[in-house]
Amino acid sequence: MVFDLGLLLGKMGSTRLATSEYASVVSMNLFVALLCACIVIGHLLEENRWMNESITALVIGLCTGVVILLTSGGTSSHLLVFSEDLFFIYLLPPIIFNAGFQVKKKQFFRNFMTIVLFGAVGTMISFTIISFAAIYIFKRMNIGSLELGDYLAIGAIFSATDSVCTLQVLNQDQTPLLYSLVFGEGVVNDATSVVIFNAVQNFDLSQITTATAFQLLGNFFYLFITSTLLGAGAGLLSAYIIKKLYFGRHSTDREVAIMILMAYLSYMLAELFYLSGILTVFFCGIVMSHYTWHNVTEKSRVTTKHAFATLSFIAELFIFLYVGMDALDIEKWSFVKDSPGTSVEVSAILLGLVLVGRAAFVFPLSFLSNLTKKAQHEKIDFRQQVLIWWAGLMRGAVSMALAYNQFTKEGHTTLTGNAIMITSTITVVLFSTMVFGLITQPLVRLLLPSPRTLNRMISSEPTTPKSFIVPLLGNGQDSLMDLDQNVPRPSSLRMLLSKPSHTVHYYWRKFDNAFMRPVFGGRGFVPFVPGSPTEQSAHQSTHHLVDEETNQTEH
């Protein structure tokens, strides 16, 4: 599990722990120290227009990998062995849940059709192009024994964008529309890629027929819908439990604990029933922020907001730090040392397919999206399309995890074809994150208007989406009920067709106010905590309303 330096220190030290156990403790101490270093250095580079914390963690991981490689005599480059369970069960859930919990729902659902178009349909297009191109090209290169399932898996692996790194190189205040679209697409894209990957693994691909293709498509929609419903159901259940039981009257810790555990339970239930845990926990986060979060006490609101954000932040750093160290794993590269040129060629081809596959859906789907929008400021212009294409080129931890899942179970492989795909995935992830990530911010400054012009555009166009990930505290609370405060009642089928999102928002608000909020709580619900300021303010509000009604009756 660890490198030789840990064994050396273990022999030097402990009489209480076995050598392997002490080596594990040493490794974990070093890893935690590196996480602290990533935070400190990331803070010092906060104002740097080139670097971000993802790239910082990646660079620190690479440097650490070099040191470990030299110290261990070239036998290892990382402190921990990669584990799919570690990634999918412990690291990914807090990242995706926090994305849903912190999302500005007003902006997310305003651009929902475009986001789904990019995240779901676009990912399917990219998957198809990359898969068929891989079959056509790699079969002629004689890189090893790859089957049809492997080629389809390659399409899913390299269709998964790295939304974590993408959002760190975009500014939510300077590029609100771009930020919102890339954020939403990234989450839906990750879920879609994993769903496609699982669907491909669960089908017998030895004989592809039309019926099999439709079955694959049906399985995809089944996973998509059921995963979403499971997440929403878990969020509603947590809201109902907290609203009815009022944990905060005795302990705010119980409120926080039940929210965290219910969110994690939704993810694990999705994995148990072979659904998409990413979609489940994302929509669980959205529902919890709309209902559950408003049912807890003020202390619990502050605690949960920062707890979820902190867990997500640490998990992101952990992933990028490990990817940096694992990129230099000598065991993987030793299997392709006889044909390094082939590995480089495969990496270059995959990188080109990523570029082509993303361009094949961003520009056509942006054109289709613009046809449905009448206001000019709501349309995606060509410069924004270029940035959306570029910002989604980065590949990250999801691609790495899927590649390990398909081509190895132990972190490395002895099969030449599988080894080449693993090393090529590492190369693409590193190159896209380092190069594309570093260029993104300067490219935004080059293609988008100056901050003064942009601020004037934002102030004159109140319907332009603002930031997505913002604090969920204060008077700026976002709520699904606010989506249509100024939207008139739809009076005809023509209005439904011309402004479908506004019409849906109108009827959703009526349904939410009439049924959902009375049952599940939500915004405006004040938990009753005996002896607290909440109780006093509630009584004052009640007395004030009674006085007003009395005065109106007297007059």
Side-chain angles (χ1 to χ4, degrees), residues 24-35:
S24 300
V25 173
V26 171
S27 298
M28 288 307 301
N29 273 277
L30 291 175
F31 206 96
V32 172
L34 288 173
L35 288 174

Side-chain angles (χ1 to χ4, degrees), residues 377 453-464 466:
H377 66 267
T453 306
L454 186 64
N455 290 336
R456 186 165 61 249
M457 289 169 57
I458 293 174
S459 62
S460 63
E461 296 166 2
T463 56
T464 301
K466 307 301 183 200

Side-chain angles (χ1 to χ4, degrees), residues 348-362:
I349 291 172
L350 289 172
L351 197 60
L353 293 179
V354 168
L355 292 166
V356 173
R358 185 159 181 83
F361 76 82
V362 168

Side-chain angles (χ1 to χ4, degrees), residues 2 10 116 131 140 193 224 237 240 255 295 337 436 448 464:
V2 295
V116 171
S131 297
R140 289 162 172 75
S193 299
F224 210 94
L237 179 61
Y240 184 80
E255 289 183 318
N295 296 347
K337 63 182 180 181
F436 296 157
L448 290 188
T464 301

Side-chain angles (χ1 to χ4, degrees), residues 166-275:
T166 298
L167 295 180
Q168 289 192 1
V169 298
L170 294 176
N171 189 297
Q172 57 186 335
D173 297 319
Q174 292 182 358
T175 57
L177 177 60
L178 177 66
Y179 191 93
S180 64
L181 289 176
V182 173
F183 169 80
E185 183 217 338
V187 174
V188 178
N189 169 278
D190 285 346
T192 305
S193 299
V194 175
V195 168
I196 294 174
F197 184 84
N198 291 335
V200 168
Q201 285 193 324
N202 293 333
F203 278 89
D204 181 13
L205 301 173
S206 58
Q207 294 181 347
I208 295 292
T209 62
T210 305
T212 305
F214 278 108
Q215 190 177 3
L216 189 66
L217 187 63
N219 187 53
F220 168 75
F221 283 111
Y222 165 77
L223 292 176
F224 210 94
I225 295 173
T226 51
S227 300
T228 301
L229 292 177
L230 177 60
L236 291 175
L237 179 61
S238 69
Y240 184 80
I241 291 174
I242 290 179
K243 178 177 180 290
K244 288 297 182 183
L245 298 182
Y246 298 149
F247 292 100
R249 73 176 66 178
H250 299 302
S251 171
T252 57
D253 295 337
R254 291 172 184 169
E255 289 183 318
V256 177
I258 198 69
M259 287 185 69
I260 294 175
L261 292 175
M262 287 291 289
Y264 190 67
L265 178 63
S266 71
Y267 183 88
M268 295 309 299
L269 283 175
E271 295 297 314
L272 178 65
F273 295 114
Y274 302 102
L275 303 176

